[in-house]
Amino acid sequence: MTDVAISRRGLRVLKACFGLLLLFLYAPILIMAVFSFNDSITVTFPLSGFTLRWYREFLSNGELMVALRASAIVAATSSAIAVALGISAAVALVRKRFFGKGAVSGLLLAPLVIPYLILGISLLILFNAAAIPLSILTIATGHVVISVPYTVLVLVPRLERVSVSLEEAARDLGASGPRTFRSVTFPLILPAVISAFLVAFTLSFDEVVVASFLAGDQVTFPVYLYSQLRFPTRLPQVIALAVAVMAVSGFVVIGAEIGRRIADRRLATQLASAGTPETRGIP
Amino acid sequence: MSTPRASRVAIGLEGVRKRFGSITAVRQVTLEIREGEFFSMLGPSGCGKTTTLRLMAGFEEPDEGRILLRGVDVTGVPPNRREVNMVFQHYALFPHMSVFENVAFGLKLRRVARQEIRQRVMEMLEVVRLEGTERRRPGQLSGGQQQRVALARALVNRPTALLLDEPLGALDVKLRKEMQLELKRIQLELGTTFVYVTHDQEEALAMSDRIAIMNNGDVEQIGSGREVYERPATTFVAGFVGLLNELDVRVDEVQGDIAVMRTGDDERVVVSADDARPGDRLRIAVRPERICIEERSAPHTAHGSRLGGVIARVAYLGTFTQFHVDTSIGIRVTSHRLNDERTDMLSAGDQVFLCWGRDDAFILGGAGSSGGDVA
């Protein structure tokens, strides 16, 4: 790739900057990964030797595993609900004409800019006032509020690329509204639905502020981690767990992204040939 | 295959009106489309032809008026419960389904037995000449093939009428001509009523039994291609369908039912006019292909119009040549002549006579309209 606007030297500077950015982003994670295998209770250089002790330790830490399970449940429920709400919102925003659409879309996206601290406090007040006991369900509710705007942002552009006439064609051929959604709209936005789900899931999985406000007896994994930082002896196994979680989520996200790209490319060629038909002869 | 029953009405519109906000897309359209006919709605973009089609399909609901399918009022009935099917401008094939699944979509929803679905889909793919493509995805087909899949997907349901929304707009000229013939063949083979929306007058003339010319949400005229071309009911129709020369002239003399305008020695313009009086101002129209060109030396003919002029420009267009002639009455007139030795001799600057028969000209705006226009 040659860009006429940038000189060769400028390009070198840019590349160096990019390298620094990568270092800045990933060096902490790398160091953490290194320390997770370090055979010492103190997290300092020099390294003392290789061990898998910390990994074994967290696996046998019952409290931690329970917190992890709670997080998985919260993340799964909250992201499923957020995606369902996100789909309805996206369909309304993209397909329907109604009064105050701009205001509605603004309101939908507002949680993006509301500090989590404030969201957490206000939800806590709300649940108290409504006499709803705090549990992992209240955490999940809080996470739905946080993730809906993200799911909307992921779903809207995709839905915009699915031509309305495809839905009209289905209707025309005898499909009811729900049937049209099931047979045509949903399969065509599926990659975005999966992306939205993953975004919402990861968002919920490592969210600590809202969760700590809304947690009842059972805390989630990030809240537990945060509380354990006070005990220096627990630190190495916390690090090991963090690395394990990161590795798993990394694999999941990369896998999903690859899948989405493949599906996207296929749909793009399909839509391109359906939208602006080529004018080859009939063989 | 059913035979066309020309007498019955497939689709009826009664005083249909549709507004979008402050814009009236369709105003008071009343028309009847006969069973088995190829009916076109022709007009410039924004004339309301697509909205009218969408009203028939049920994608839009009229603000006023009724829509009838085979005599049954379907106003307010959703598109999935109307027995018409549509071919969309960009085909709207389902990209995630195979050709077979696309065509079978409507039958599956109607819970047709599996065996029968398979048989009918294959039959229809044969009709549109797409045998062997049933496993492919629409994205793997050419534009013309996708067009045929869209046709098959709609026709396999045996609709009361097939609605086509500028289906050939995206194809190149050669393929478009081929598909015109194909559409007509399929229509005749199946005997299905076709309602065809287009802005291309040649396309409408080539295929239609009847054409509705639309403008500004109104139907200006309904008639056969020949009727709307040769006897346009309104100035708009005259101008929209085909090229037209317009001459503003004053009547000097009336001989029976013929108005005569003397424009010079040996030159005159005549037109059939029932109630013209000397002194009347008329706007008359002549199609370019009706005007012949004679050299100045040619002998004088007694009947018809004859107008002197100078050739201003000559455009060679393959099968015919277009002559732009500045006439003695100050109006530039266009004449189309099939190419032969005589047209080869004429060039810009030549003094010529233009001539046309009495019945080749018509008066614009009223006289001679053949009905069918809706106010």
Side-chain angles (χ1 to χ4, degrees):
Chain A
M1 214 165 82
T2 50
D3 192 332
V4 288
I6 296 171
S7 69
R8 198 170 278 203
R9 221 174 115 216
L11 198 64
R12 228 175 284 149
V13 173
L14 271 182
K15 277 182 177 166
C17 284
F18 181 66
L20 282 174
L21 178 73
L22 282 185
L23 195 72
F24 181 72
L25 282 176
Y26 293 104
I29 296 173
L30 205 69
I31 286 179
M32 200 168 72
V34 170
F35 275 116
S36 74
F37 297 107
N38 186 28
D39 192 6
S40 162
I41 197 85
T42 55
V43 183
T44 51
F45 286 111
L47 301 172
S48 348
F50 181 83
T51 179
L52 286 175
R53 191 170 114 214
W54 311 121
Y55 285 87
R56 272 197 303 276
E57 232 167 70
F58 86 68
L59 281 174
S60 55
N61 181 340
E63 244 180 276
L64 203 154
M65 295 316 280
V66 171
L68 203 57
R69 215 181 115 246
S71 261
I73 293 170
V74 167
T77 14
S78 73
S79 49
I81 296 170
V83 166
L85 292 175
I87 291 173
S88 334
V91 168
L93 289 177
V94 176
R95 291 287 192 253
K96 310 281 178 206
R97 275 174 288 183
F98 56 87
F99 176 76
K101 193 160 164 176
V104 168
S105 113
L107 280 175
L108 269 169
L109 301 182
L112 284 176
V113 292
I114 297 175
Y116 285 180
L117 200 64
I118 293 175
L119 265 181
I121 294 172
S122 54
L123 280 166
L124 181 63
I125 294 170
L126 178 75
F127 287 133
N128 264 333
I132 296 168
L134 296 180
S135 68
I136 57 171
L137 288 181
T138 51
I139 303 175
T141 313
H143 285 175
V144 169
V145 177
I146 294 170
S147 5
V148 161
Y150 289 96
T151 62
V152 171
L153 283 180
V154 171
L155 287 163
V156 160
R158 178 66 177 212
L159 194 59
E160 275 170 345
R161 282 174 60 202
V162 176
S163 165
V164 184
S165 57
L166 290 175
E167 289 168 5
E168 285 181 345
R171 298 278 287 158
D172 185 64
L173 291 165
S176 62
R179 179 64 197 248
T180 299
F181 181 79
R182 193 153 53 85
S183 304
V184 176
T185 317
F186 189 76
L188 291 175
I189 62 167
L190 186 60
V193 170
I194 293 168
S195 296
F197 184 84
L198 285 173
V199 167
F201 191 93
T202 44
L203 217 63
S204 163
F205 198 75
D206 69 11
E207 200 287 322
V208 64
V209 180
V210 173
S212 61
F213 274 105
L214 301 179
D217 302 333
Q218 179 56 58
V219 295
T220 55
F221 162 67
V223 176
Y224 177 80
L225 272 197
Y226 193 68
S227 67
Q228 294 305 297
L229 288 178
R230 279 173 298 156
F231 311 109
T233 50
R234 301 268 176 83
L235 191 55
Q237 57 164 300
V238 165
I239 289 174
L241 176 61
V243 171
V245 167
M246 199 126 55
V248 169
S249 55
F251 279 125
V252 170
V253 169
I254 289 168
E257 180 62 18
I258 289 170
R260 194 187 63 80
R261 281 196 186 186
I262 291 169
D264 227 32
R265 209 171 302 134
R266 209 171 56 200
L267 184 86
T269 57
Q270 286 164 356
L271 288 180
S273 56
T276 48
E278 292 172 46
T279 45
R280 272 172 276 147
I282 305 155
Chain B
M1 309 289 134
S2 64
T3 50
R5 288 152 292 181
S7 54
R8 286 187 50 194
V9 176
I11 301 180
L13 263 55
E14 292 178 358
V16 167
R17 185 194 288 270
K18 177 69 187 175
R19 221 179 271 114
F20 293 112
S22 59
I23 298 155
T24 305
V26 176
R27 54 184 106 221
Q28 282 260 287
V29 166
T30 297
L31 53 82
E32 285 188 341
I33 296 166
R34 297 169 198 146
E35 199 100 11
E37 93 176 316
F38 198 120
F39 187 91
S40 289
M41 294 191 284
L42 173 66
S45 56
C47 71
K49 56 191 193 298
T50 295
T51 305
T52 308
L53 197 75
R54 291 173 61 82
L55 283 160
M56 293 174 186
F59 295 130
E60 313 286 353
E61 281 303 326
D63 299 320
E64 280 169 40
R66 299 201 305 158
I67 296 165
L68 303 151
L69 284 187
R70 285 202 170 129
V72 180
D73 189 347
V74 295
T75 321
V77 174
N80 50 322
R81 285 194 267 125
R82 291 193 190 187
E83 298 278 297
V84 290
N85 286 117
M86 185 128 157
V87 174
F88 291 82
Q89 198 165 8
H90 294 299
Y91 322 139
L93 299 176
F94 306 127
H96 56 301
M97 297 181 196
S98 68
V99 168
F100 183 92
E101 288 168 321
N102 264 282
V103 179
F105 192 83
L107 296 177
K108 255 185 211 155
L109 288 169
R110 280 188 189 82
R111 297 180 195 285
V112 175
R114 226 162 154 205
Q115 204 66 40
E116 197 191 333
I117 290 181
R118 171 139 212 102
Q119 191 198 332
R120 277 169 70 174
V121 169
M122 290 319 213
E123 254 174 42
M124 198 44 71
L125 286 177
E126 213 177 295
V127 169
V128 300
R129 310 211 161 129
L130 274 181
E131 305 97 320
T133 61
E134 62 270 12
R135 291 227 186 108
R136 293 214 233 153
R137 292 285 172 107
Q140 299 168 295
L141 302 177
S142 71
Q145 287 173 317
Q146 292 186 29
Q147 177 68 78
R148 289 158 190 267
V149 177
L151 268 174
R153 184 178 69 177
L155 285 169
V156 80
N157 305 297
R158 296 177 187 151
T160 303
L162 183 72
L163 312 176
L164 303 103
D165 184 12
E166 307 216 21
L168 307 185
L171 303 177
D172 66 35
V173 181
K174 192 162 173 288
L175 197 51
R176 198 152 68 213
K177 296 254 151 91
E178 274 175 42
M179 280 306 293
Q180 285 177 14
L181 294 173
E182 275 293 283
L183 278 174
K184 194 66 195 170
R185 173 186 69 78
I186 292 166
Q187 192 250 340
L188 291 174
E189 200 173 313
L190 301 178
T192 310
T193 312
F194 275 37
V195 185
Y196 192 93
V197 159
T198 181
H199 62 264
D200 183 334
Q201 40 132 339
E202 231 176 276
E203 208 167 275
L205 289 171
M207 295 186 285
S208 317
D209 297 316
R210 288 194 306 152
I211 303 172
I213 314 282
M214 293 190 69
N215 184 34
N216 268 328
D218 275 324
V219 173
E220 299 248 342
Q221 185 177 5
I222 299 177
S224 69
R226 186 177 285 272
E227 274 165 18
V228 297
Y229 188 78
E230 294 185 358
R231 293 283 162 235
T234 65
T235 319
F236 174 80
V237 174
F240 189 74
V241 185
L243 282 171
L244 201 68
N245 292 298
E246 291 179 25
L247 306 169
D248 286 314
V249 291
R250 227 185 72 189
V251 179
D252 293 314
E253 195 182 310
V254 177
Q255 302 170 351
D257 61 347
I258 300 173
V260 181
M261 284 62 70
R262 303 210 170 276
T263 53
D265 294 341
D266 258 11
E267 294 183 25
R268 59 183 199 153
V269 175
V270 300
V271 66
S272 297
D274 292 335
D275 50 2
R277 256 174 267 132
D280 284 356
R281 294 202 159 273
L282 293 180
R283 169 167 287 189
I284 68 168
V286 199
R287 298 284 182 197
E289 70 275 14
R290 296 282 180 171
I291 300 178
C292 66
I293 294 189
E294 285 173 355
E295 286 156 69
R296 275 290 166 132
S297 55
H300 171 245
T301 44
H303 300 291
S305 302
R306 183 170 156 97
L307 208 51
V310 180
I311 297 178
R313 211 155 64 79
V314 179
Y316 177 79
L317 297 174
T319 49
F320 64 89
T321 301
Q322 191 175 47
F323 295 98
H324 299 275
V325 178
D326 288 327
T327 62
S328 56
I329 56 170
I331 297 168
R332 183 170 283 194
V333 168
T334 307
S335 161
H336 289 171
R337 297 284 83 201
L338 282 177
N339 288 326
D340 57 23
E341 305 88 27
R342 283 183 52 238
T343 57
D344 293 346
M345 312 242 313
L346 294 166
S347 57
D350 287 359
Q351 297 271 340
V352 291
F353 272 125
L354 299 176
C355 52
W356 60 90
R358 185 182 97 185
D359 296 326
D360 292 332
F362 51 88
I363 298 168
L364 282 180
S369 79
S370 54
D373 60 315
V374 177

